Structure formats: structure tokens, C-alpha cells
């Protein structure tokens, strides 16, 4: 070989290895790294510029990109995935009365159809109430009922049981126990029960009252 | 432990003193008496389970004796161990006392060997653990972790009490509403059968099935349908049991029943 | 799963996209991220666990790896490239022999009480040693032991697993051999009369511990 003996002492690693090295350096580095610095950190004879070309191609379309910052290189998450870098802070809000009642009916009567919920509550159930409970994953769709129209039913979820500290829906106290616990004493006068149902949300409209026969 | 306190006997030769010191000067380097015993046991160059505990005890006692001569202040731990090993030594040398119910010298020796083996094993795995690739030395995390921005999200909550109160509120709107829904409009076959069994004794003559419907069930169409179906099913059951006879003149004409005559 | 049409209210993104998302989230985080958190940050219906399988394969043999730490995942540079990272290397405080041994004892005997650590080492454990390990977040308080006095126990943390590149405490080097040799048993000195009880308790809680992670 006609090479300088000093230079051949260090054989440059294969390009695949060089690519790995650039990848690791850019990943771990707190700042963008210039080609010169990459070369300085990599073994003698390595060609960071070429490795960068390969690496950039490899990350095309991935969740992470190779970007050039001035004359240095860095890895960044893909801009379209920025929304993933958000963490939600949670504001706790009490469930509306309509939602609680609907949830209670599902819990006590599951599987129950929407029409049945409306029959029990005596007012129509707004789409929003059901959606909220579905979204909270406290209720889910159950089996369709084998009645005309095959309406969907709702049942409570494991998440519901977890939230309320119940092992099963059967653990819910019965009417007798509710009464024993004094929960039934606050009885609204007959006929006024439906009035105070409104939560000022306009969710439930009495005009659509279920027709009880 | 006052008798174990460092005494004031003279050390004869400076050389002997220095030699002993070479072994002992490092007493701060030992992590307690068990560690010292482990170090001493290495001189036996055998499996820790086969170590001569007696020999080890003697080595240790010699060590402590020398330390005393050198006026090296030994921690109480070392002196407690020395006392215990002296006791163990006597147990191992003397024939067992039948009166004594305590553990035998062999049991005590075996436990000491176990402790030494366990300590050495922990030393060994500790070294292997530290020899692993470590974060920040051999492998690295992301250099510029991206901050996760905060977004407000509403979380809804309700307690079991809310739920029960909500349910109680609905149920008390109409206190007479039975707990199981729709059951007030349904007559089960069992209910009809019970009723029929009571009534059939009086039905010697052909009578319309409709007359057997429970009171108050004829007016409401839904209730009437349910009661008729249940009563009809119940009468079929009774006919099957040979208790009644059923007759219908033609399609859609009234169905009549009577008690089956006893003579057949 | 044969889901109800109503149940798939939110269409999950294609697996390729999910993989990109997991890639971006793990890439951006210095700390391991649990599967539950990944799922929480990804769109509804996404399956981070499956995406992780694909992603891990993709990064096999690369300069950056996907590693499992307890029930969480992280991206780390390949250990064979550590020599390139002098600049990133953090000077780890040199641990004393007592600290290293105490750490090993907690790792291999967890959950372990202070008295048990002292029994194994044959010397009292200084407050400083435990404090240092707590401060490094390599050990933490575990459940109290159901023995007289209900002493607190120590267990190792996810940070410990992360630091030493362990997927779980089960992967500690030599653990099986130690267990087979009976060296992880809690064997009190003969004549203390506690032998049987304590043995059972010690073994139970240990296997429990290792099952948990």
C-alpha cells in the first residue's frame, strides 16, 4: 500500500457503522453538532458528511427527522407530531345532574336502552349526556335488544366500577338500603320532580317527554 | 465488655509490632467483623461451605488479641464478635451438654459459613452490577428532551353518593313504581298458574278463559294482553296435568275451560 | 374483536403512523415512558404496545435502541458506542463500598428491611448510605413488612433499572444462581426460633416483588 503508514493504522469503520455513530451522537447531544465535530469524535478516517446523507434518508418520513441548524446537524421530532408533546392538565368538574341520573339508571338497569332511560327519567336524554358518559368510558354499548328496531343498550364499564370503588354493578345498594341510609328522605313533592331536573344546560327537553302508557 | 477493653501490656519488639500492624492497620478498611472474617477465610483457600470455622475463629481471636496489644481501639462490633466466636469455639471443642437446649456448635458454625457465603455472593453480584453498562457512562438518553407543554383538560367526577342520590331522586318521583322496570304490566305464567289452581276447584262448568283474568287487568290493553297470554299458558299447563279440559268452538271464538270430571 | 360499529367512534390511525408517534414521544423524552402514558398521549384507539413491537424491531442494530425499563420504554444509545460520548458522559459520584453493597442487597433481596441489610453485611448501615441511595432514586420505600414492628422495606426503582440497563429486577445478573444456592433466603441465626415463619414470609414477599414488575 502506498498510504501513509500513520493513516492506515486506523481503518475507517464501514459506512453502516459510521451511520450508527452519527445517529448516537446526534441523539445524545444537547446541541446541534457540526460535521467537523462529528468527524473529530468519530474514529480516524470516518466521513461524517456521507454518513449524514444516509442517516437523513433513513429517517425520512419517520417520527424523528434530521435537520440542519446553521452548519450543524440535529435530530428533532417530526413537526406534524408536535401535538403529542402536550400533556393535559386536568380540571376536575362535577358531573351534571342529568349525567349522574343517566349513569345511575344504566348502572341499576343495565343493559338498558335509551328509550328505557328516558322512560325512567321521565325526560329525554340528550345526545351530549350519553356521549359524555361514553367518552368518560363509564358506559359502553352493550348487546342489542331483541325487540323491534333492535335498539342498542348501554352497560357500565370496568372503568365505572373502578371509579366508584365497586367490584360489580351488583354491589350497588338497593332501594331499601338507599332508604335505610336516608337517601330517599329528600323526596320532592309529587309533580315537582321533573322541574328541578333541569340543570340549566338545556339538555333535556320536556316537550320530548317519553309517552308513558 | 470491660474485660475486653484494650489493656496496657507492653509490646516486646518494635518489629513484631510493625508486622502485626500491617494486618491490622487496615481495620478501618474492613466493613465490620463479618467482612474481616471473610477476608481471613480466604487464607484457607477452600469453598466457604467447607471452611473450618474453628480455625477461622482462632484467627479472628488472634487478630483481636493483637489489636489489643497494639492498643488499637476496636469498635464494639469486633469485640462482640470475638466474644461470640470464643463461645462458638468452646461449643465446637467440648462434647455437647445434654442439659443445654440451645443450638449446637455445628449449627452455629454452619450459619456462620452461610453468612460468609452470602456476603461473598452479594459482593460478587454487586461487582457484576457495577460492571454493567451504565447510563451516562456507556449508554445515553436523549440530549435535549423536549418539554411537554401543558394543555388544560376537563375531567368529570362524581362520587358513589352522587350516583345513589341521583338514583334515589328518580325512584322517589313515583314511589309506587316497582324496582324492576315494566314488571307492573306483566303477569307471569307462574302468577297465573297460582291463581288458576286456586280458582279451578269452582269451575265445574265450562267458563270463558277471560273470566279468570285477575281483577284490574282487563282494562289496560297492555296488561290484558299479558294476563290473557299468561292465563292461557297456565291453562295449557293444567290441561297437561290432567286437571282441566279446554274447548274452543272455532277459530277466534272464546276459549272455555272446566275442571276435568273426576270419573274421567 | 368484533366491535359494535358505534364503538369505533374514533378511528385509530394506521399502525405505521402509530409507530411514528411512539418514536417521536420516546425520542423526545429522557425518561422512560409507560405504555399507559403512551396510549394516553396518542389518539383514541391507538395501540402503543403493538407499535412498540414494530419500532423495537426497526431500531435493532442501530446506533440508538429501544429498551424496556420495568413497564416503560425508552430510547438509549447503543452501549458499544459509549466511547464516542466523552462529551456527554456525566461524572457519576463514586459510590462507597458500603453503598454499592447495600444497593446490591436491596436489589437482590427486595423488599428488604434495614435490619436484614445489616444482618447480611454484618455491620450497621449508616443513615447516609441509605439517604444517598434514596437521593439517587435508585431505591425507595416499599411496603411495610408484616412482622412485629412493621418495619419499612426498601425496593429498587425504575431509575435503578434504567441506570443499569435492566428490563426488570428479574434480569439482575446471577439472580437465578443465587436463588438456587439458597443465598437469597432469609435464614436467621439458629436458636432464635423464628426460622420457619420468617423463611416463608421472606420468600413470599420476594417472589411477589419480582412478579410485580
Amino acid at each position: 500500500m502506498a498510504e501513509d503508514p500513520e493513516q492506515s493504522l486506523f481503518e475507517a469503520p464501514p459506512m453502516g457503522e459510521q451511520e450508527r455513530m452519527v445517529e448516537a451522537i446526534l441523539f445524545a447531544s444537547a446541541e446541534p453538532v457540526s460535521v467537523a465535530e462529528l468527524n473529530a469524535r468519530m474514529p480516524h478516517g470516518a466521513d461524517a458528511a456521507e454518513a449524514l446523507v444516509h442517516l437523513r434518508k433513513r429517517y425520512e418520513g419517520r417520527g424523528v427527522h434530521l435537520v440542519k441548524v446553521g452548519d450543524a446537524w440535529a435530530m428533532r421530532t417530526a413537526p406534524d407530531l408536535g401535538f403529542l408533546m402536550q400533556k393535559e392538565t386536568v380540571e376536575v368538574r362535577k358531573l351534571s345532574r342529568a349525567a349522574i341520573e343517566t349513569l345511575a339508571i344504566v348502572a341499576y338497569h343495565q343493559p338498558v336502552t335509551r328509550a328505557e332511560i328516558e322512560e325512567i327519567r321521565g325526560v329525554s336524554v340528550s345526545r351530549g349526556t350519553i356521549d359524555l358518559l361514553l367518552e368518560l368510558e363509564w358506559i359502553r354499548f352493550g348487546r342489542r335488544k331483541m325487540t323491534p328496531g333492535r335498539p342498542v343498550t348501554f352497560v357500565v364499564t370496568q372503568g365505572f366500577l373502578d371509579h366508584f370503588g365497586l367490584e360489580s354493578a351488583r354491589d350497588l345498594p338497593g332501594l331499601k338500603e338507599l332508604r335505610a341510609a336516608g337517601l330517599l328522605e329528600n323526596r320532592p313533592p309529587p309533580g315537582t320532580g321533573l322541574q328541578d331536573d333541569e340543570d340549566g344546560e338545556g339538555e333535556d327537553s320536556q316537550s320530548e317527554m317519553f309517552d308513558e302508557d | 465488655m470491660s474485660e475486653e477493653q484494650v489493656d496496657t501490656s507492653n509490646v516486646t519488639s518494635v518489629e513484631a509490632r510493625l508486622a502485626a500492624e500491617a494486618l491490622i492497620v487496615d481495620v478501618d478498611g474492613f466493613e465490620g467483623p463479618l467482612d474481616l472474617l471473610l477476608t481471613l477465610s480466604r487464607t484457607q483457600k477452600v469453598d466457604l461451605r467447607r471452611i473450618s470455622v474453628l480455625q477461622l475463629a482462632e484467627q479472628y481471636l488472634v487478630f483481636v488479641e493483637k489489636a489489643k496489644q497494639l492498643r488499637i481501639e476496636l469498635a464494639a462490633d469486633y469485640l462482640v464478635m470475638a466474644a461470640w466466636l470464643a463461645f462458638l469455639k468452646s461449643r465446637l471443642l467440648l462434647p455437647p451438654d445434654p442439659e443445654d437446649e440451645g443450638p449446637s456448635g455445628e449449627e452455629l458454625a454452619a450459619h456462620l459459613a452461610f453468612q460468609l457465603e452470602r456476603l461473598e455472593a452479594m459482593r460478587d453480584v454487586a461487582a457484576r452490577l457495577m460492571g454493567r453498562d451504565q447510563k451516562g457512562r456507556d449508554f445515553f438518553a436523549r440530549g435535549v428532551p423536549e418539554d411537554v407543554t401543558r394543555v388544560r383538560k376537563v375531567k368529570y367526577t362524581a362520587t358513589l353518593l352522587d350516583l345513589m342520590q341521583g338514583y334515589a331522586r328518580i325512584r322517589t318521583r313515583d314511589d309506587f313504581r316497582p324496582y324492576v322496570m315494566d314488571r307492573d304490566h306483566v303477569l307471569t305464567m307462574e302468577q297465573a298458574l297460582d291463581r288458576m289452581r286456586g280458582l279451578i276447584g269452582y269451575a265445574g262448568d265450562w267458563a270463558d278463559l277471560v273470566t279468570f283474568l285477575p281483577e284490574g287487568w282487563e282494562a289496560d290493553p297492555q296488561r290484558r294482553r299479558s294476563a290473557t297470554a299468561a292465563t292461557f299458558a297456565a291453562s295449557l299447563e293444567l290441561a297437561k296435568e290432567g286437571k282441566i279440559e279446554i274447548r274452543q268452538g272455532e277459530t277466534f271464538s272464546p276459549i272455555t275451560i272446566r275442571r276435568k270430571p273426576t270419573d274421567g
Side-chain angles (χ1 to χ4, degrees), chain A, chain B:
Chain A
M1 287 246 212
E3 271 182 52
D4 200 310
E6 257 171 9
Q7 237 171 331
S8 60
L9 279 177
F10 306 93
E11 187 116 15
M15 189 44 67
E17 270 305 295
Q18 295 188 34
E19 211 190 304
R20 290 181 72 227
M21 292 174 179
V22 172
E23 187 178 28
I25 293 172
L26 293 186
F27 173 83
S29 176
E31 270 150 35
V33 188
S34 69
V35 175
E37 199 191 330
L38 282 172
N39 275 327
R41 284 169 73 171
M42 284 159 69
H44 193 94
D47 181 354
E50 197 192 332
L52 275 164
V53 173
H54 292 291
L55 195 65
R56 185 177 209 178
K57 197 160 263 165
R58 185 182 290 273
Y59 275 98
E60 253 166 34
R62 306 288 322 143
V64 173
H65 287 172
L66 230 67
V67 294
K68 201 168 179 196
V69 185
D71 63 346
W73 291 82
M75 282 170 108
R76 296 274 182 267
T77 53
D80 67 309
L81 298 178
F83 71 95
L84 293 170
M85 302 307 141
Q86 301 175 339
K87 201 168 205 169
E88 285 148 345
T89 53
V90 174
E91 180 193 321
V92 179
R93 216 179 268 177
K94 238 176 161 29
L95 209 57
S96 75
R97 187 162 169 170
I100 285 186
E101 291 185 5
T102 303
L103 183 61
I105 292 166
V106 175
Y108 277 92
H109 295 269
Q110 64 173 350
V112 65
T113 66
R114 187 191 180 123
E116 287 165 343
I117 295 170
E118 295 182 333
E119 186 188 334
I120 296 167
R121 282 198 69 216
V123 288
S124 72
V125 175
S126 80
R127 176 89 213 155
T129 302
I130 296 274
D131 281 352
L132 177 64
L133 294 174
L134 285 170
E135 203 183 301
L136 287 168
E137 296 185 1
W138 282 351
I139 68 171
R140 61 175 177 80
F141 292 101
R143 219 172 290 165
R144 283 178 183 277
K145 204 150 195 167
M146 299 306 272
T147 53
R150 309 204 57 217
V152 293
T153 62
F154 299 98
V155 296
V156 292
T157 62
Q158 186 60 45
F160 165 85
L161 298 176
D162 291 346
H163 183 94
F164 291 97
L166 296 165
E167 241 168 70
S168 87
R170 278 189 301 275
D171 293 344
L172 282 167
L175 269 194
K176 259 187 213 151
E177 288 151 294
L178 292 182
R179 186 168 283 124
L183 292 171
L184 295 192
E185 277 168 7
N186 257 345
R187 188 182 307 175
T192 64
L194 298 177
Q195 251 87 55
D196 55 27
D197 196 64
E198 295 307 306
D199 245 1
E201 295 174 24
E203 277 186 354
D204 300 316
S205 136
Q206 288 190 24
S207 61
E208 286 175 34
M209 260 187 55
F210 191 81
D211 183 26
E212 283 190 59
D213 53 21
Chain B
M1 286 286 141
S2 56
E3 67 277 300
E4 299 282 358
Q5 287 301 319
V6 175
D7 70 19
T8 50
S9 65
N10 295 321
V11 175
T12 45
S13 108
V14 176
E15 273 166 44
R17 184 182 162 133
L18 284 176
E21 219 164 325
L23 173 72
I24 298 164
V25 81
D26 206 23
V27 74
D28 285 338
F30 289 111
E31 290 275 343
L34 208 55
D35 183 35
L36 171 58
L37 274 170
L38 191 58
T39 306
L40 292 173
S41 74
R42 296 228 171 83
T43 60
Q44 294 190 27
K45 291 189 176 118
V46 290
D47 189 325
L48 277 172
R49 273 161 294 192
R50 270 175 235 161
I51 201 159
S52 164
V53 170
L54 188 59
Q55 199 182 327
L56 195 58
E58 271 163 359
Q59 280 178 280
Y60 186 92
L61 294 172
V62 167
F63 170 90
V64 171
E65 195 52 41
K66 279 188 182 157
K68 274 189 196 171
Q69 288 168 9
L70 293 169
R71 303 176 182 214
I72 288 173
E73 197 89 39
L74 285 181
D77 285 353
Y78 288 83
L79 302 177
V80 170
M81 179 62 91
W84 187 81
L85 285 173
F87 163 76
L88 175 60
K89 197 176 133 187
S90 69
R91 284 237 151 177
L92 288 170
L93 291 174
L94 299 171
D97 180 355
E99 302 274 298
D100 195 342
E101 295 194 347
S104 71
E106 278 72 26
E107 282 172 329
L108 293 173
H111 186 71
L112 180 61
F114 167 75
Q115 282 181 294
L116 291 174
E117 195 190 351
R118 182 173 62 181
L119 180 59
E120 182 163 79
M122 291 324 294
R123 290 267 160 84
D124 174 52
V125 291
R128 285 171 73 181
L129 189 64
M130 297 316 281
R132 285 183 69 86
D133 291 331
Q134 291 183 38
K135 190 170 82 172
R137 188 186 78 182
D138 305 292
F139 62 89
F140 297 83
R142 173 70 176 143
V144 259
E146 284 166 50
D147 279 341
V148 178
T149 54
R150 304 260 154 200
V151 179
R152 269 162 65 98
K153 187 196 174 187
V154 177
K155 185 183 171 184
Y156 288 95
T157 182
T159 65
L160 189 58
L161 187 67
D162 294 334
L163 194 71
M164 285 166 14
Q165 280 171 335
Y167 188 67
R169 206 156 53 222
I170 304 163
R171 299 309 327 189
T172 49
R173 231 171 256 152
D174 177 359
D175 218 18
F176 298 106
R177 192 116 137 213
Y179 174 54
V180 181
M181 54 165 303
D182 283 346
R183 277 295 160 84
D184 47 352
H185 295 311
V186 175
L187 189 70
T188 65
M189 194 185 102
E190 285 69 29
Q191 288 170 316
L193 206 52
D194 276 352
R195 187 180 159 75
M196 297 278 286
R197 281 191 210 282
L199 292 174
I200 196 69
Y202 306 104
D205 267 338
W206 291 106
D208 194 329
L209 188 70
V210 177
T211 60
F212 287 88
L213 297 196
E215 267 171 63
W217 283 69
E218 312 91 335
D220 180 88
Q222 195 186 337
R223 299 185 110 203
R224 190 176 61 232
R225 273 197 301 278
S226 173
T228 308
T231 306
F232 179 61
S235 59
L236 288 178
E237 182 62 29
L238 290 171
K240 202 172 93 187
E241 290 173 11
K243 300 230 170 72
I244 61 165
E245 291 175 327
I246 306 182
R247 187 175 74 174
Q248 185 178 31
E250 55 181 307
T251 314
F252 296 123
S253 69
I255 296 165
T256 54
I257 62 172
R258 69 167 182 186
R259 184 181 50 184
K260 195 166 185 180
T262 38
D263 54 344

